């Protein structure tokens, strides 16, 4: 007799509260199950700024294939985006909120062909879409291809990314033809070494780039052709360490805290969702109220993607959020001497500060650290890590409007207040690290060019 996995609802009941469960959940930070480094992560970080980087996305994300006559209606009912001009061979950043207008998550939505979509990313928003499709009145079919960290066997598709100032030159060498003009988040089809390859045009850290995908069986042939074409172009293969930090340059928060632990309709969702997909909570924000961890799309700079041209889950509440004071997404540049002092505690007697890993310092799936000004909480810090191209240790943050001006001095509280059963957390003490507010993305090149390439 098969045993069903424990539901999130059951796990929370066992722990006593959502926050208590997430604080001690065994889920590790998001895993990129590919080679950690091909050379070293510092040189690999530099490659997407100076030459061309080849990154393997085949293993760490989940694909949710959605097909059927009601697939577009489902996506429109759940997503805050406009679908009025959405058509095959286009893609967009898909965003969903709960009934109270708080963020569930985001992913990239590929419109493959009529009645056929691929929603790609972390599982939080994919789970939400699948739940509503399975429990609502929709004629849709789902096929899930999970991360290689949990899937048995090969992925259904390969997915490679080429990024950097020589990415266009690489593509022209690999295809033997001029690359057709494609708008940002537009899709095109190429031929590489005799096989058809679909592509998404986008940028990473402000650099021009392409995301290439197709049947898994073609993957090694396409990779070999890209490596051959990259000879003479300083192509660098990028491993999981460097790749996991790339979001800090483009200012994308990959795993914001999902608002699934309270609110209308979420009780049944938590019964449906396996606890193993709930994630883990890390950081210095220590509130027993789970709503204190919630975000709106505006807190992460997603306001331009919100469209009130259709009805969707959470629309009325999101309209209220749109009219209220908002937080802004910014970059925090941590003081080098304070980061160094925190690391130095590892070499001193007594209880050290929470270990700061490089290049990415996140130690839970949802990193939520307090940000203070004169002892007052003014927002939260998300992902943190080191950027070789900027010679800076930074984090992405959502701050109150009145302190989100570049140049404002703030303090990040690093480490947790109470012992945690998370495997990534050792005995440590909290420290305070000074930081300066800067724009997001931090790189001026990325701010000015991300959607132009």
């Amino acid at each position: 007799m098969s045993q069903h996995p424990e539901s999130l609802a059951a796990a929370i009941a066992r722990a006593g509260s959502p926050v208590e469960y997430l604080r001690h959940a065994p889920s590790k930070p998001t895993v990129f199950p590919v080679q950690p480094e091909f050379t070293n992560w510092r040189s690999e970080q530099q490659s997407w700024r100076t030459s061309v980087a080849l990154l393997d996305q085949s293993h760490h994300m989940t694909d949710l294939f959605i097909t059927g006559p009601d697939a577009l209606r489902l996506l429109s009912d759940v997503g805050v985006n406009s679908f009025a001009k959405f058509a095959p061979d286009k893609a967009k950043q898909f965003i969903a909120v709960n009934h109270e207008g708080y963020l569930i998550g985001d992913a990239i939505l590929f419109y493959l062909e009529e009645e056929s979509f691929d929603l790609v990313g972390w599982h939080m928003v994919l789970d939400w879409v699948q739940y509503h499709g399975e429990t609502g009145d929709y004629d849709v079919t789902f096929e899930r291809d999970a991360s290689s960290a949990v899937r048995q066997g090969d992925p259904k598709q390969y997915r490679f990314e080429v990024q950097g100032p020589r990415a266009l030159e690489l593509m022209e060498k690999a295809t033997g033809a001029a690359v057709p003009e494609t708008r940002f988040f537009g899709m095109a089809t190429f031929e590489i070494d005799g096989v058809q390859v679909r592509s998404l045009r986008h940028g990473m850290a402000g650099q021009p780039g392409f995301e290439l995908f197709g049947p898994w069986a073609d993957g090694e042939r396409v990779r070999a052709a890209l490596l051959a074409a990259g000879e003479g172009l300083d192509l660098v293969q990028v491993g999981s360490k460097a790749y996991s930090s790339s979001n800090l340059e483009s200012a994308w928060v990959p795993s914001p805290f999902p608002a699934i632990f309270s609110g209308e309709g979420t009780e049944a969702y938590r019964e449906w969702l396996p606890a193993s997909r709930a994630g883990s909570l890390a950081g210095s924000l220590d509130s027993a109220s789970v709503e204190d961890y919630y975000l709106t799309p505006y807190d992460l700079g997603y306001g331009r993607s919100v469209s009130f041209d259709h009805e969707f889950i959470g629309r009325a509440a999101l309209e209220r959020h749109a009219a209220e004071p908002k937080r802004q997404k910014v970059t925090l540049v941590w003081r080098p001497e304070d980061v160094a002092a925190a690391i130095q505690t590892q070499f001193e007697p007594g209880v050290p500060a929470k270990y700061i890993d490089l290049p990415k310092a996140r130690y839970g799936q949802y990193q939520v650290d307090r940000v203070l000004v004169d002892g007052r909480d003014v927002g939260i810090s998300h992902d943190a890590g080191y950027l070789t191209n900027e010679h800076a240790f930074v984090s992405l943050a959502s701050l109150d409007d009145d302190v989100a001006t570049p140049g404002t001095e703030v303090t990040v509280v690093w480490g947790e207040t109470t012992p945690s059963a998370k495997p990534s957390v050792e005995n440590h003490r909290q420290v305070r690290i000074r930081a300066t507010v800067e724009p997001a993305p931090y790189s001026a090149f990325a701010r000015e060019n991300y959607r132009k390439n």
Side-chain angles (χ1 to χ4, degrees):
M1 180 176 177
S2 62
Q3 187 175 4
H4 293 291
E6 183 181 35
S7 71
L8 177 56
I12 291 172
R14 175 169 48 80
S17 74
V19 173
E20 190 67 15
Y21 172 71
L22 294 169
R23 278 287 175 203
H24 302 284
S27 300
K28 297 179 181 179
T30 301
V31 175
F32 289 69
V34 295
Q35 185 168 326
E37 295 171 294
F38 286 88
T39 52
N40 65 83
W41 61 260
R42 283 80 60 200
S43 298
E44 290 171 16
Q45 279 188 343
Q46 290 176 322
S47 66
W48 58 68
R49 186 76 67 87
T50 60
S51 56
V52 58
L54 173 61
L55 309 97
D56 188 350
Q57 297 181 321
S58 308
H59 296 280
H60 73 278
M61 294 187 293
T62 297
D63 287 75
L64 182 65
F65 297 97
I66 310 168
T67 57
D70 290 337
L72 183 59
R73 180 169 67 89
L74 167 65
L75 292 163
S76 179
D77 288 350
V78 177
V80 306
N81 315 76
S82 175
F83 292 85
K85 297 181 180 179
F86 202 36
D89 279 337
K90 291 185 178 180
K92 65 174 61 197
Q93 183 183 20
F94 177 88
I95 300 163
V97 299
N98 70 4
H99 287 81
E100 287 70 40
Y102 292 106
L103 189 69
I104 297 294
D106 69 294
I108 303 302
L109 177 63
F110 293 79
Y111 201 151
L112 301 176
E113 55 191 52
E114 290 297 336
E115 301 185 2
S116 179
F117 301 83
D118 185 7
L119 190 59
V120 184
W122 306 131
H123 60 80
M124 289 78 80
V125 74
L126 279 62
D127 291 333
W128 183 253
V129 170
Q130 185 170 352
Y131 166 76
H132 285 284
E134 290 183 353
T135 60
D137 183 22
Y138 299 98
D139 184 1
V140 292
T141 300
F142 297 100
E143 181 183 357
R144 179 182 288 256
D145 191 25
S147 159
S148 293
V150 297
R151 183 202 337 95
Q152 299 296 318
D154 294 330
K156 181 176 180 177
Q157 297 186 129
Y158 71 83
R159 194 176 297 275
F160 302 139
E161 188 170 345
V162 293
Q163 298 286 345
R166 307 193 78 172
L168 185 60
E169 192 176 352
L170 173 70
M171 288 297 295
E172 290 181 339
K173 282 190 66 178
T175 61
V179 174
E181 187 72 24
T182 309
R183 297 186 63 182
F184 184 84
F185 264 33
M187 293 165 60
T189 300
F190 303 105
E191 184 175 296
I192 296 179
D193 193 22
V195 299
Q196 294 292 106
V197 176
R198 300 191 76 172
S199 78
L200 172 70
R201 188 79 157 98
H202 71 100
M204 182 181 76
Q207 298 294 341
F210 301 83
E211 186 173 309
L212 311 174
F213 60 98
W216 175 254
D218 293 340
E220 284 308 310
R221 187 170 176 176
V222 172
R223 187 204 306 268
L226 292 171
L227 291 173
E231 294 181 7
L233 300 179
D234 295 324
L235 181 145
V236 175
Q237 293 191 79
V238 174
S240 62
K241 282 191 172 184
Y243 182 45
S244 71
S245 67
S246 64
N247 71 290
L248 295 170
E249 289 201 40
S250 60
W252 173 59
V253 178
S255 53
F257 193 92
I260 62 174
F261 300 95
S262 63
E264 180 184 344
T266 59
E267 183 175 358
Y269 178 62
R270 293 191 297 276
E271 293 281 359
W272 177 89
L273 186 68
S276 60
R277 295 214 292 265
S280 58
L281 176 61
S284 57
L285 180 59
D286 188 15
S287 172
S289 175
V290 73
E291 288 84 2
D292 288 343
Y293 301 87
Y294 288 177
L295 302 158
T296 74
Y298 302 102
D299 296 336
L300 295 180
Y302 295 160
R304 66 180 176 185
S305 296
V306 176
S307 176
F308 298 113
D309 67 351
H310 65 297
E311 291 299 323
F312 57 85
I313 293 171
R315 172 180 167 162
L318 199 55
E319 286 182 304
R320 292 192 294 271
H321 288 308
E324 296 169 351
K326 306 173 188 66
R327 286 179 168 174
Q328 294 183 32
K329 182 174 67 173
V330 301
T331 302
L332 301 182
V333 180
W334 296 22
R335 288 275 188 98
E337 59 268 35
D338 289 4
V339 176
I343 294 173
Q344 185 173 316
T345 64
Q346 305 291 329
F347 305 96
E348 299 171 342
V351 178
K354 178 72 187 77
Y355 182 71
I356 297 178
D357 203 3
L358 297 178
K360 199 69 171 289
R362 182 176 64 194
Y363 57 94
Q365 190 156 14
Y366 316 120
Q367 189 73 36
V368 188
D369 289 308
R370 297 172 66 197
V371 181
L372 312 176
V373 171
D374 297 328
R376 172 174 63 95
D377 282 272
V378 296
I380 58 174
S381 174
H382 309 287
D383 269 12
Y386 181 75
L387 301 180
T388 300
N389 291 312
E390 304 296 337
H391 307 288
F393 191 95
V394 308
S395 64
L396 302 175
S398 300
L399 300 187
D400 295 344
D401 274 343
D402 63 336
V403 298
T405 305
T408 302
E409 296 297 320
V410 301
T411 298
V412 178
V413 182
W414 179 250
E416 302 193 348
T417 57
T418 57
S420 170
K422 290 191 295 295
S424 57
V425 177
E426 73 283 10
N427 184 33
H428 69 276
R429 60 183 169 90
Q430 280 191 341
V431 295
R432 298 194 173 196
I433 297 178
R434 293 168 293 175
T436 303
V437 176
E438 297 293 349
Y442 178 46
S443 162
F445 187 92
R447 288 197 307 276
E448 296 163 6
N449 293 277
Y450 181 59
R451 290 179 179 269
K452 292 180 181 179
N453 294 300

